[in-house]
Amino acid sequence: MGIVNVTHDSFSDGGRWIDPDAAIRHGLHLADLGADIVDVGGESTRPGAFPVDAGEEMDRVLPVVRALAGAGLVVSIDTSKPEVAASALAEGAEIINDVTGLRDPEMVAECARSGAGAVLMHMQADPRTMQIDPAYDDVVSEVADFLQDRFRTATAAGVTSSHIVVDPGIGFGKTFDHNLALLDGLDRIGRGRPVLVGTSRKAFLGRILERAEQPSSPADRDAATGATVALAVAKGASIVRVHDVAAAISAARTADAIVRFH
Ligand code: HH2
């Protein structure tokens, strides 16, 4: 899954793809590089990001979704607002990627009504507050329980079970240690459901590199992201959400070949 952030303030590429034509070119490029899904978002979810109202979010994402879906790409819409999801699906998006795990009942209803695919992600609290002292007794089992619970709620409301993937939400209400524990325990997250994981360029990678006296800006973290992609694939992840699609595909294919050898 390649990332197209149509935002001013995304943590690694804010402003680069805010112009719709640039965003469309970028999405097509990611598909050419081999992305199976292009994830289009119009609101940053980084801690402390500025909230965007639904009208502004739609103005940003809809022309991009329309063009990319029109070109035959599988498009997911990265939003937690049901009205944005509904309009994006009407423009041809096929998957709702909701970082709140379909918390809004209207979002579950939209997903069920449309037959769209759904990414259910775990987040403790919300983007404004999530990094204020996140706490768990056992992060892997609590996140897995949460995702199982959201899966049950979604399917009870009519979302088709085979349309759902779950995501531990790396960096969303987690400390550095929580992120490492979740990646180490990734094979215990899905409980039989497909798992998506998003580590790309995130702050915990910066911290690992910093410890090794290798300070980095987010865009310098694609090799580190590749390491997480390889390990995630080895632990059974089905989808990896990344900025650098070419590097991630090489890492994923290599890990996959080694794992399948046995
Ligand atoms: N991470 C981000 C955004 N959306 N969706 C899923 N399912 N999983 C993730 O881990 C995830 C996500 C944050 O990354 P990015 O889009 O690059 O940054 P920003 O939220 O600042 O736009």
Side-chain angles (χ1 to χ4, degrees):
M1 174 185 273
I3 302 169
V4 180
N5 284 322
V6 197
T7 63
H8 291 287
D9 56 348
S10 287
F11 77 94
S12 87
D13 54 1
R16 275 194 81 183
W17 321 112
I18 190 71
D19 169 57
D21 289 334
I24 293 163
R25 274 196 305 275
H26 186 53
L28 293 170
H29 179 59
L30 296 182
D32 277 347
L33 292 171
D36 293 318
I37 304 168
V38 176
D39 188 40
V40 178
E43 180 178 44
S44 172
T45 50
R46 71 177 167 77
F50 295 108
V52 176
D53 68 37
E56 168 74 20
E57 198 177 327
M58 286 194 244
D59 287 347
R60 291 180 184 183
V61 296
L62 294 185
V64 181
V65 170
R66 187 180 309 131
L68 296 180
L73 274 54
V74 176
V75 176
S76 64
I77 177 71
D78 186 351
T79 189
S80 43
K81 297 190 187 77
E83 59 272 50
V84 175
S87 323
L89 295 176
E91 295 290 356
E94 295 175 63
I95 301 167
I96 299 173
N97 174 24
D98 180 3
V99 297
T100 71
L102 306 187
R103 212 177 277 177
D104 183 333
E106 252 309 297
M107 194 65 126
V108 188
E110 180 54 39
C111 201
R113 196 163 42 230
S114 62
V119 181
L120 298 184
M121 199 194 81
H122 173 274
M123 166 166 39
Q124 197 172 71
D126 62 62
R128 272 179 309 107
T129 57
M130 65 189 180
Q131 288 311 113
I132 305 171
D133 203 18
Y136 305 83
D137 289 326
D138 175 345
V139 67
V140 174
S141 51
E142 285 172 48
V143 167
D145 285 347
F146 171 92
L147 293 171
Q148 184 163 329
D149 184 58
R150 297 309 305 156
F151 176 88
R152 287 192 180 134
T153 305
T155 50
V159 180
T160 307
S161 57
S162 62
H163 291 190
I164 298 174
V165 305
V166 297
D167 177 345
I170 298 299
F172 286 86
K174 278 101 186 174
T175 62
F176 177 75
D177 285 359
H178 294 144
N179 290 321
L180 296 195
L182 285 166
L183 290 171
D184 185 47
L186 200 64
D187 47 350
R188 290 187 284 134
I189 291 295
R191 298 190 178 151
R193 282 152 211 133
V195 171
L196 181 154
V197 68
T199 54
S200 192
R201 300 181 175 174
K202 285 185 178 174
F204 80 100
L205 298 174
R207 176 123 171 242
I208 294 171
L209 297 175
E210 209 171 276
R211 281 183 173 178
E213 295 185 2
Q214 199 189 331
S216 60
S217 67
D220 299 327
R221 297 176 193 151
D222 289 327
T225 302
T228 66
V229 165
L231 287 166
V233 168
K235 285 184 183 284
S238 298
I239 305 175
V240 288
R241 180 182 181 277
V242 295
H243 299 89
D244 184 343
V245 165
I249 285 184
S250 296
R253 287 211 176 113
T254 306
D256 195 53
I258 295 166
V259 170
R260 279 173 198 270
F261 181 71
H262 286 289

